[in-house]
Amino acid sequence: MNASDPACLDAHKRPQGAAHVSLLVVGAGAAGAAAAVAAAKLGIDAQLIDEHPVPGELMALDVPLHFGQRMARSSSNARSMEHILETSAELAEAYELGIDVQLGVCAWGVFPATPACAASPLLVGLADAGRSWYVSCDRLIVASGARDLCIGFPGWEKPGVMGAQAALQLMRRYDAFTGSRMLILGGGALAVEVLEAARQKGVTVAAVVDVETPPEADESAARIRETGVPHYPGHLIEAAHGGLAVESAVIVGLDEACRPRAGSELTLGCDTIVLAIGTVPNIELLDTLDVRLDFEPSRGGWIPRCAPDGATSMPSVYAAGDCAGLGAAAAEEGRCAAHAAGTSLGRTGPRTPRAARAHTADASVPRARTWMRAQLAVSGLDVPVCQCEEVSRRELIGLRPPRYLGTCEAHSRARDLRALGADGPLNQDQVKRLTRAGMGPCQGRRCREQIQILLEAVGDAKPGTIPLARYRPPVRPLPMAVLAADEEAAALRDHWVAWFNISTQWLAHWEPKPVPLPAPGQTPLVGESE
Ligand SMILES: Cc1cc2nc3c(=O)[nH]c(=O)nc-3n(C[C@H](O)[C@H](O)[C@H](O)COP(=O)(O)OP(=O)(O)OC[C@H]3O[C@@H](n4cnc5c(N)ncnc54)[C@H](O)[C@@H]3O)c2cc1C
């Protein structure tokens, strides 16, 4: 490919008016804010963006977190913006240093310089509630944190069921949580964090329910006992009940093999059920960039392979904080990444912070597997796994086409996971295309990991052997009005599929298609090469 490539975004075909910054930091949590502050102190022209506060319409779609309709109507107003600033000392420092901080702005895609895209070297798609635009940058630090890991149960699609990260954001960052009686599912520090936030906000906690039975000396269990909130270790939620929303939950005791104990069912009144089973690193932007990923169960699952300074396998792109693996010192990683980016830009400070890669093991991955095993034993297969596309566990593992297509043809019924596995290694993307699971507006944020865990459980595969479904830009659902307003130049409109760099799924339409060779003795079908 060269400058005459018709698909190439040369200087004349760049998105109109893309501003340029030396460093863009995505995510203004502990890691991102520390990175932006460190970069500013090195004299680097940095921009720091964060998608919170998100518009109410997106929250209603459970984007970017599983909010479960428990947000007040005021959640995205100016008060939320103020509250977000008040609750983050790092952000306040970033403002004081004069850093260009943009809240309520999401990064929906990153496009590296490729033969088809003359970004310099990176072009980032940004959007707020009303418009979308691009910024180009020399270096990018992704500090996008973590999101909730959900394992479903009968009734988990009802309003009132939500993730722990979403509950913490609504209670602490937005001051806009509307539940009044909460049941917490999960264990460890995450469950305790939700419990403490709820008590501070005056929310009654009905109980904490945990599949595992922690040892007597366990710190989190001791903290739960201290609060006097009923604690049910060795229990599982059997179902959530209610009319339009959650009104109660039935929990059940488990034996050593995670099977339900007859007669141990208990009904608890609650309007909110918080999934505090675990979190997963937010790798979506990194994945769309084709950054090298590794499966690290003690760090939350799939994470970018990083050098000690946060450099990923993609030149000019760094990762810091929870998105680079759970359990690390986020702020220290942010500062390291900023110094590494600064050094690569020819800026060095008086003291380069030491590389921060030490971490404490995170229990999210093993805990989620235990929850799934118990759920399969207690609630079986007729439970929604993908809420957006209404796909049940049974339909997923039976590779059933979407219900709205009508009757399932015999050849589809004959297909199952075992048959697919016989063709080659199982792949979640293939399952997604056959069933639509993960294709809805929440973009798989509620089901991606649980589908992987379910496939591994049913296919008897080792953890991490089935890759997650790939992420694609835009990694946030953008209203058509936002995208439509971003009118592209005529020259840019040509060959846009190549610009999006979906090389594994597209054949360039301006190039001749390869014609498959017919098998010996076979007559090619008309249009077979299309
Ligand atoms: C229960 C619990 C207890 C903990 N206790 C401690 C402790 O005592 N001490 C300690 O050091 N750590 C502790 N941690 C860990 C600490 O909270 C996290 O490691 C830290 O907050 C992670 O910071 P981060 O910047 O990586 O992510 P976050 O703080 O989650 O920030 C990520 C930000 O990125 C934004 N973002 C994501 N994607 C996009 C996008 N596409 N566009 C724009 N913005 C985006 C999000 O809105 C978010 O604000 C604890 C964690 C838990 C769960």
Side-chain angles (χ1 to χ4, degrees):
M1 296 242 194
N2 54 41
S4 64
D5 180 345
C8 182
L9 278 187
D10 59 27
H12 305 293
K13 290 188 192 169
R14 296 246 179 91
Q16 300 288 305
H20 183 81
V21 289
S22 299
L23 173 69
L24 181 73
V25 183
V26 175
V37 166
K41 288 180 179 167
L42 290 174
I44 299 171
D45 150 40
Q47 187 177 66
L48 173 64
I49 63 147
D50 198 289
E51 62 190 325
H52 288 289
V54 288
E57 307 83 64
L58 279 186
M59 279 189 171
L61 292 175
D62 284 332
V63 177
L65 298 169
H66 187 181
F67 291 107
Q69 315 300 326
R70 280 290 166 265
M71 58 283 178
R73 289 174 74 88
S74 62
S75 54
S76 62
N77 63 15
R79 169 80 192 109
S80 304
M81 191 79 89
E82 244 173 60
H83 204 260
I84 286 171
L85 287 174
E86 280 165 15
T87 50
S88 169
E90 297 94 344
L91 261 185
E93 189 183 0
Y95 269 107
E96 270 165 32
L97 284 169
I99 295 170
D100 178 7
V101 181
Q102 300 203 14
L103 299 182
V105 172
C106 75
W108 55 262
V110 184
F111 309 98
T114 64
C117 176
S120 57
L122 297 157
L123 198 62
V124 184
L126 303 178
D128 61 17
R131 68 187 186 103
S132 171
W133 66 98
Y134 299 90
V135 62
S136 70
C137 59
D138 298 316
R139 301 290 179 270
L140 173 72
I141 297 180
V142 179
S144 50
R147 64 175 164 75
D148 295 303
L149 199 168
C150 307
I151 302 290
F153 50 84
W156 81 293
E157 66 282 13
K158 287 185 188 303
V161 179
M162 66 187 309
Q165 298 285 334
L168 289 169
Q169 290 279 353
L170 288 185
M171 288 189 282
R172 292 195 170 145
R173 247 184 166 178
Y174 285 78
D175 195 15
F177 176 72
T178 58
S180 60
R181 192 173 167 82
M182 179 188 281
L183 178 68
I184 301 174
L185 307 180
L190 187 59
V192 172
E193 191 83 2
V194 177
L195 171 61
E196 288 179 345
R199 283 160 53 86
Q200 278 159 14
K201 285 282 164 199
V203 177
T204 304
V205 179
V208 179
V209 176
D210 189 0
V211 161
E212 289 162 342
T213 303
E216 193 62 24
D218 182 77
E219 226 175 90
S220 302
R223 182 71 200 109
I224 298 170
R225 276 196 304 273
E226 265 168 42
T227 62
V229 165
H231 187 201
Y232 293 97
H235 279 67
L236 185 78
I237 183 164
E238 191 183 82
H241 296 286
L244 290 178
V246 170
E247 290 166 19
S248 66
V250 175
I251 64 167
V252 65
L254 302 173
D255 65 16
E256 293 76 37
C258 279
R259 286 175 312 223
R261 281 192 283 112
S264 63
E265 293 83 359
L266 191 65
T267 300
L268 301 168
C270 55
D271 60 17
T272 305
I273 299 176
V274 176
L275 287 154
I277 295 167
T279 49
V280 287
N282 246 339
I283 54 164
E284 48 208 359
L285 286 173
L286 297 163
D287 189 37
T288 63
L289 274 166
D290 260 341
V291 153
R292 189 86 172 260
L293 302 174
D294 292 317
F295 186 73
E296 297 269 357
S298 67
R299 308 206 59 195
W302 290 97
I303 56 171
R305 186 178 294 181
C306 289
D309 61 8
T312 69
S313 61
M314 171 67 68
S316 312
V317 178
Y318 299 78
D322 281 359
C323 71
L326 306 179
E332 204 182 321
E333 282 196 4
R335 282 189 284 273
C336 265
H339 277 262
T343 305
S344 72
L345 290 168
R347 308 283 181 122
T348 46
R351 190 184 67 86
T352 301
R354 70 182 173 80
R357 283 286 118 190
H359 67 277
T360 50
D362 181 87
S364 297
V365 170
R367 191 181 295 125
R369 273 162 221 283
T370 311
W371 276 84
M372 178 58 86
R373 193 155 56 94
Q375 268 302 328
L376 286 171
V378 169
S379 57
L381 296 179
D382 293 314
V383 177
V385 62
C386 169
Q387 292 192 22
C388 300
E389 297 291 333
E390 298 180 13
V391 181
S392 70
R393 291 180 193 149
R394 186 182 301 282
E395 288 162 331
L396 184 101
I397 64 176
L399 301 176
R400 292 290 173 266
R403 271 177 247 166
Y404 56 75
L405 287 182
T407 48
C408 181
E409 302 290 341
H411 65 269
S412 297
R413 281 199 303 275
R415 195 176 53 197
D416 64 6
L417 269 190
R418 203 173 296 277
L420 198 65
D423 284 348
L426 278 182
N427 186 306
Q428 199 185 125
D429 272 321
Q430 203 176 6
V431 173
K432 176 173 160 182
R433 281 166 182 75
L434 291 168
T435 63
R436 289 193 62 84
M439 284 197 188
C442 91
Q443 297 179 298
R445 273 179 282 273
R446 293 178 298 195
C447 68
R448 192 178 243 99
E449 290 73 24
Q450 67 171 313
I451 289 176
Q452 185 197 28
I453 294 169
L454 179 61
L455 291 176
E456 284 171 356
V458 176
D460 210 12
K462 278 200 197 128
T465 50
I466 300 178
L468 280 179
R470 293 296 305 264
Y471 292 89
R472 293 198 311 204
V475 299
R476 294 289 176 273
L478 296 176
M480 289 300 277
V482 165
L483 276 183
D486 175 26
E487 186 53 54
E488 59 199 3
L492 183 60
R493 202 169 297 135
D494 292 342
H495 310 306
W496 65 270
V497 291
W499 189 76
F500 270 88
N501 198 27
I502 318 178
S503 52
T504 50
Q505 294 173 35
W506 289 89
L507 289 177
H509 53 71
W510 55 90
E511 286 182 356
K513 304 274 184 296
V515 180
L517 291 176
Q522 187 194 353
T523 315
L525 298 174
V526 175
E528 197 175 51
S529 63
E530 286 302 299

